[in-house]
Amino acid sequence: MVDPKKIEELRQARRQWEATTLGESLEQQPERTPRFSTLSDLEISRVYAPDDLPAFDPARDLGLPGEYPFTRGIHPTMYRRRLWTMRQFAGFGSPEDSNRRFHYLLEQGQTGLSVAFDMPTLMGYDSDHARAQGEVGREGVAVDTLEDMEILFRGLPLDRITTSMTINAPANVLLAMYVAAAERAGYRRDQLGGTTQTDMLKEFIAQKEWIVPPRPSMRLIQDMLAFGTRELPRWNIISISGYHIREAGATAVQELAFTLADGIAYVQAGLDAGLDIDQFAPRLSFFFDCHNNFFEEIAKFRAARRLWARIMRERFRAKSPRAWWLRFHTQTAGVSLTAQQAQNNVVRVTLQALAAVLGGTQSLHTNSMDETYALPTEEAVMVALRTQQIIAYESGVTHTVDPLGGSYVLEALTNRVEAEAEAYIRKIDDLGGMVRAVELGYPQREIAEASYRYQQQLERKEKIIVGINEFAAPDVQPIAVLRIDPEVERRQIDRLRRVRAARDARQVQRALDTLRRAGERADNTMDRVVDCVRASATVGEICDVFRSIYGEYKEPAII
Amino acid sequence: MTDGKIRIIVAKPGLDGHDRGAKVVARALRDAGFEVIYTGLHQTPEMIANAAIQEDADAVGLSILSGAHMTLLPRLLDLLRQKGGGEIVVFAGGIIPEEDIPPLRAAGVSEIFLPGASLDAIVRWVREHVKPHGVKA
């Protein structure tokens, strides 16, 4: 901590500077704008100095890397020991198409897989459902049955890579399929490393792919937590995600606050299911967005680690330091990409990826320049992956841990983001926790307000996007875009019908009936879901069981 | 409508849940003085066509980011014509590749706003191209 007398001296010096050096400069020429602010509209001062951090205590507020409260990073050596996992989100078309892309990405030096599923799969519909028409394989890969999952991971070393699956409402079904496919390929459950997103609260808040209402959704997650703790020692059952919250228009503070409040709800759900916090909490991981405002984003990541460590230790009384860790994946901000002058996106992604690395991420997805048009082409994905490799191997930022720690502006912003996020978390506690807040529509409304405010700032040019509201160029250089062959839908439906015709229908019915009874009785449903997928029950059939027990969620349409 | 106010349905066809754009545009249209009805998420073409007819809408604005526009938009226009809503102006926004624009226009979509379109441009377009029921455009 800085000596109070020193602080007074510094303040004195600043007043002097304001009266003389600064005053003269402003008199000659005023600043470009009366107010400077971050993307999330936190006001930024002209200059930061030690007197902006009068209560700053490096021992208490930062600690050293690998030590509580982990502001500087969860590992003592960070990227000096091991670089972050370069994990590009991929998945499109048929399971065969995506399997080829996975092999390609691993050959290019990627170190983990990340699977995108198509909209029907995310919503728990089979490819031949009426609501799936036109959507099969479009925004991700179509998976209907265990056979699709086996094709998707064919020939991949599941004991040596980790697989992240962006799947939420039917996460239990897809995890069961992954386990069953891996076992058929000869792997043991304890060899399987990876993550299912399973974050339904952020679905209700932001991403909006759901099946059953919030409370039964939480119950199915409890079943997964119990199953994962028992069966899959290397699996992260929930990836608590701020990414979608941010992409839906939230500020950096809202992203952080709502994500940690979701985390609090999941920890509580695990405790309510009778699980030991020191056993299950170390396998909760996080997933954040990284947007354009460089310092705000780095501050967000550092504040996130510090806040979560305090929540886990002080609020939940977890004893294992691993339960205090906030481990996170980052994706650069899809929403920041522009269709206009799309090559500029490479530069945006570079800045965002650098901020994520300076913020201490454990894994990273860099968006491709063409993603405002469609899923990325192979060439665009290559540039995005190379961006990470250039940061990792050429920039030198990996050589020291938390290189910006101690920067006055960054520490001040870290404190500010943390304090504002804490205020939101208190508000959500007062509402009765995140499940209740979601039912009340509270975070949904806060995000809608923030996104409308931001759009108005763009219209007034208070915020600038190069190529959109400034520096627009009339002719857009067209770039190559990935097209999904409409045949994918027909072929996927053909295979689904073949599987349905070939399976033992009575065995399927028995498995589904047993699942229904487990769901009705509050027995753990996960082992029953595994039985269903082994019998070749489809994603849609299994989700229909849950729909019939718990009903379907309908969001009130508010603008 | 007796008060001559333009009624617009803002809808999200298909399964994608990306509703930031739809909500922002709906609010901007409402703030510009139009009467706006937001359908909410995950709407089938049938649901949207029924809402447009029941609400006696002058226009339908669609936001779609899932890539299913070539299936869902032409079907909606067919349904509107079948149900006697052929006069309803349909406009859309979202992730729509350039080469899909001519066939969508041929199917009857009056305007397509691409990523980066300003709220002001959308509001101005609606003012110019959508007239309240019974008034000839």
Side-chain angles (χ1 to χ4, degrees), chain B:
Chain B
M1 296 299 294
T2 46
D3 60 358
K5 211 171 177 185
I6 292 173
R7 271 167 93 85
I8 303 170
I9 301 264
V10 173
K12 279 283 305 163
L15 298 179
D16 84 273
H18 305 108
D19 61 356
R20 185 170 60 102
K23 286 186 163 190
V24 166
V25 169
R27 272 184 75 159
L29 292 171
R30 197 178 62 191
D31 288 356
F34 303 114
E35 195 176 330
V36 176
I37 299 144
Y38 173 53
T39 62
L41 286 163
H42 309 147
Q43 301 286 302
T44 62
E46 289 74 12
M47 291 157 88
I48 298 167
N50 288 340
I53 302 291
Q54 276 162 21
E55 298 287 349
D56 200 18
D58 302 299
V60 176
L62 303 160
S63 168
I64 182 159
L65 291 90
S66 73
H69 48 271
M70 295 306 284
T71 306
L72 299 177
L73 270 48
R75 190 185 301 157
L76 169 67
L77 284 146
D78 276 348
L79 285 165
L80 283 176
R81 280 188 285 269
Q82 283 167 28
K83 292 171 191 280
E87 302 285 288
I88 297 172
V89 176
V90 175
F91 60 105
I95 304 283
I96 295 171
E98 294 279 343
E99 63 259 44
D100 292 346
I101 294 175
L104 288 175
R105 282 187 177 277
V109 180
S110 299
E111 186 61 284
I112 291 160
F113 295 96
L114 295 177
S118 74
L119 294 178
D120 184 51
I122 298 169
V123 167
R124 261 187 295 131
W125 184 88
V126 171
R127 277 221 176 90
E128 278 165 31
H129 294 88
V130 184
K131 298 295 168 218
H133 236 58
V135 180
K136 284 272 171 263

Side-chain angles (χ1 to χ4, degrees), chain A residues 279-448:
Chain A
Q279 264 194 11
F280 78 86
R283 285 185 302 110
L284 298 173
S285 65
F286 288 81
F287 170 25
F288 291 108
D289 199 281
C290 196
H291 215 302
N292 282 337
N293 193 281
F294 196 67
F295 293 122
E296 178 171 63
E297 294 304 308
I298 302 170
K300 177 185 75 184
F301 298 127
R302 298 171 86 247
R305 272 194 298 274
R306 187 158 78 203
L307 253 174
W308 187 247
R310 289 185 176 149
I311 289 166
M312 291 307 288
R313 185 168 161 176
E314 289 163 22
R315 177 175 179 147
F316 287 111
R317 308 267 166 219
K319 289 185 194 63
S320 157
R322 296 187 67 113
W324 305 337
W325 286 0
L326 179 139
R327 294 176 298 133
F328 68 101
H329 171 70
T330 306
Q331 181 168 339
T332 58
V335 76
S336 74
L337 304 182
T338 63
Q340 293 76 5
Q341 306 173 41
Q343 287 86 347
N344 295 347
N345 292 329
V346 176
V347 184
R348 292 189 178 96
V349 168
T350 306
L351 285 167
Q352 294 163 8
L354 181 59
V357 169
L358 293 172
T361 195
Q362 274 62 58
S363 64
L364 181 60
H365 166 103
T366 35
N367 288 322
S368 301
M369 67 178 111
D370 53 357
E371 291 189 55
T372 53
Y373 291 101
L375 297 184
T377 60
E378 228 157 71
E379 294 72 27
V381 173
M382 172 80 90
V383 174
L385 177 60
R386 295 291 183 251
T387 303
Q388 294 198 38
Q389 290 163 337
I390 289 167
I391 292 171
Y393 296 99
E394 297 185 16
S395 76
V397 297
T398 55
H399 297 178
T400 184
V401 179
D402 188 30
L404 296 186
S407 142
Y408 303 123
V409 58
L410 189 66
E411 297 301 348
L413 262 178
T414 304
N415 291 345
R416 171 93 189 267
V417 169
E418 180 185 33
E420 295 208 3
E422 277 181 306
Y424 258 124
I425 292 171
R426 271 196 301 279
K427 165 88 185 169
I428 290 160
D429 283 339
D430 290 345
L431 290 173
M434 195 45 126
V435 177
R436 185 69 195 131
V438 162
E439 289 173 341
L440 295 169
Y442 172 70
Q444 297 93 313
R445 271 196 308 277
E446 289 290 299
I447 294 169

Side-chain angles (χ1 to χ4, degrees), chain A residues 430-472:
Chain A
D430 290 345
L431 290 173
M434 195 45 126
V435 177
R436 185 69 195 131
V438 162
E439 289 173 341
L440 295 169
Y442 172 70
Q444 297 93 313
R445 271 196 308 277
E446 289 290 299
I447 294 169
E449 285 298 322
S451 73
Y452 193 52
R453 254 193 329 265
Y454 175 67
Q455 193 62 41
Q456 288 174 316
Q457 289 175 326
L458 285 180
E459 303 271 321
R460 292 193 299 263
K461 293 197 182 186
E462 289 168 20
K463 302 281 184 222
I464 298 299
I465 301 177
V466 172
I468 299 285
N469 61 357
E470 279 291 8
F471 316 112

Side-chain angles (χ1 to χ4, degrees), chain A residues 89-254:
Chain A
F89 191 35
F92 63 97
S94 67
E96 288 87 348
D97 294 330
S98 292
N99 178 262
R100 270 192 298 278
R101 177 67 68 91
F102 292 159
H103 280 281
Y104 170 78
L105 286 169
L106 292 175
E107 281 156 21
Q108 295 306 316
Q110 178 165 308
T111 47
L113 294 179
S114 175
V115 189
F117 295 98
D118 69 357
M119 285 293 160
T121 309
L122 295 182
M123 293 287 287
Y125 295 121
D126 287 338
S127 294
D128 62 349
H129 191 283
R131 305 201 65 158
Q133 278 179 48
E135 313 250 17
V136 175
R138 289 267 169 198
E139 269 193 297
V141 59
V143 171
D144 292 305
T145 66
L146 179 55
E147 184 172 325
D148 295 328
M149 202 64 150
E150 292 185 89
I151 296 168
L152 186 57
F153 290 99
R154 186 175 287 160
L156 296 165
L158 301 187
D159 54 341
R160 281 185 284 125
I161 55 166
T162 56
T163 304
S164 170
M165 291 192 276
T166 297
I167 192 73
N168 292 278
N172 47 2
V173 183
L174 277 296
L175 176 60
M177 284 184 176
Y178 189 81
V179 170
E183 285 181 328
R184 279 194 187 168
Y187 299 101
R188 295 188 316 271
R189 290 184 177 186
D190 63 8
Q191 291 177 304
L192 304 179
T195 305
T196 35
Q197 200 162 67
T198 325
D199 178 2
M200 280 314 293
L201 289 170
K202 72 93 177 52
E203 291 295 321
F204 296 115
I205 295 170
Q207 172 80 353
K208 313 206 165 178
E209 306 297 333
W210 45 59
I211 299 176
V212 301
R215 284 174 201 269
S217 295
M218 291 298 282
R219 178 256 151 111
L220 295 174
I221 292 171
Q222 283 177 321
D223 290 354
M224 289 182 70
L225 276 174
F227 176 83
T229 307
R230 168 165 47 91
E231 300 288 325
L232 302 169
R234 295 181 56 219
W235 201 269
N236 301 307
I237 290 290
I238 311 176
S239 166
I240 308 161
S241 304
Y243 185 82
H244 320 79
I245 292 174
R246 188 66 178 283
E247 293 282 300
T251 64
V253 167
Q254 289 171 343

